[in-house]
Amino acid sequence: MSGFKLLDDSFTRAAPDASPQRATGGADQPLGLTVHTLPSPARAMDAQNRRTGSGRWKMLTVLLVCAAPVLASYFTFYVLRPEGRRNFGELIDPQRPLPAQSVLSLSGQTSSLQALKGQWLLLSVANAACDELCGRHLYLQRQLREGLGKDRARVDWVWLIPDMAPVPDQLRPALKDATVLRVDGQALADWLAPAGGHQLAEHLYLVDPLGNWMMRFPANLDLANAGKVKRDLERLLRASNSWDKPGRAAVAEVGVDDAR
């Protein structure tokens, strides 16, 4: 019996304590929570301002990309040119748009000056009798256009006549590629203007495809200066190549080729 009692006492001491106090001590504990620091109002406002500024820059970039290509071409011609390079013709500022003026062709058809839009126009002004200066200008206009090669279809050479006198018969064959129109003299004077001390008929004038008079070449041009005029024309045509396409002249030339 004593042996059994000792074994029982050992078992009793080795058994886990199941008292209420020990059970209470082993109960589940509450979970611990970590609170992260929130950004200060100043930092939040700074981040918002950065996002707003970034959005504005993106919007400005889109507007610049979508800007009218004609503005880009003028920027290229007027601003992005190498130092020391100067245009020969005088730039007109502000530009003057084609007036809504009635004109009369040599065949008697009536139209408007604004119908000339869509092409670069190399203009001369002279009475129908066409003196020596007039003849030289017409010759230069034709040669300058032909000298542009494949780009000649983008340029019309135009003779504006401010009177109703007949054009000499011997001159007519040379005008087959020209646009010849009779225009009211006062309307011309209100639109075009010569350099100081010169007459309207002493210059050649350049009009862009949007119908704006934008350049005046020096008075009394001759063959010695024709190359300088051609360089101005080539730079303008190159700068506007992305948006200006061959118009009336190209259609006319295709028609001539088809007829052949």
Side-chain angles (χ1 to χ4, degrees):
M1 288 293 294
S2 60
F4 282 104
K5 188 175 188 320
L6 290 174
L7 179 61
D8 183 67
D9 290 341
S10 299
F11 179 79
T12 302
R13 285 194 298 269
D17 188 355
S19 65
Q21 183 177 2
R22 177 60 61 87
T24 302
D28 294 337
Q29 300 296 321
L31 293 175
L33 299 177
T34 301
V35 179
H36 296 280
T37 304
L38 295 174
S40 66
R43 291 181 61 186
M45 287 299 295
D46 184 58
Q48 178 64 29
N49 289 338
R50 285 198 300 271
R51 286 194 296 270
T52 301
S54 176
R56 288 174 179 171
W57 277 111
K58 290 178 181 178
M59 182 174 65
L60 181 59
T61 301
V62 171
L63 290 176
L64 289 175
V65 170
C66 297
V70 64
L71 297 179
S73 68
Y74 279 131
F75 179 80
T76 301
F77 182 74
Y78 297 153
V79 180
L80 300 182
R81 56 177 184 244
E83 289 297 324
R85 189 176 82 179
R86 296 290 183 269
N87 46 283
F88 181 62
E90 178 185 356
L91 297 172
I92 306 303
D93 186 23
Q95 298 172 2
R96 302 186 186 182
L98 278 163
Q101 176 64 39
S102 295
V103 294
L104 192 67
S105 70
L106 292 184
S107 63
Q109 294 181 332
T110 302
S111 61
S112 170
L113 265 180
Q114 292 191 342
L116 297 177
K117 287 183 179 180
Q119 292 279 105
W120 289 95
L121 307 176
L122 186 59
L123 297 174
S124 63
V125 178
N127 292 334
C130 196
D131 58 13
E132 180 184 354
L133 177 60
C134 164
R136 185 165 73 244
H137 278 171
L138 293 177
Y139 175 77
L140 286 174
Q141 287 173 273
R142 183 181 63 186
Q143 294 303 104
L144 285 167
R145 180 178 181 271
E146 291 302 313
L148 295 173
K150 62 182 178 62
D151 283 329
R152 69 181 184 276
R154 297 167 59 190
V155 180
D156 281 353
W157 60 290
V158 182
W159 176 19
L160 300 180
I161 304 174
D163 63 29
M164 296 301 294
V167 173
D169 290 338
Q170 65 270 23
L171 191 58
R172 288 177 178 265
L175 299 174
K176 63 182 182 65
D177 294 327
T179 301
V180 184
L181 300 170
R182 299 185 189 274
V183 188
D184 178 72
Q186 186 57 53
L188 273 181
D190 291 340
W191 177 43
L192 301 175
H198 294 280
Q199 301 296 317
L200 207 60
E202 295 181 48
H203 297 278
L204 291 182
Y205 306 87
L206 189 65
V207 177
D208 70 23
L210 299 180
N212 297 310
W213 170 38
M214 50 79 62
M215 184 173 282
R216 176 177 59 211
F217 294 104
N220 303 313
L221 285 171
D222 54 24
L223 284 174
N225 292 319
K228 299 176 183 178
V229 177
K230 183 172 178 284
R231 281 195 294 272
D232 279 358
L233 291 174
E234 288 173 337
R235 287 200 294 265
L236 282 166
L237 291 172
R238 187 164 53 249
S240 63
N241 191 57
S242 63
W243 58 271
D244 172 46
K245 302 302 179 184
R248 297 184 306 276
V251 174
E253 290 190 359
V254 169
V256 171
D257 290 340
D258 290 343
R260 292 173 182 172

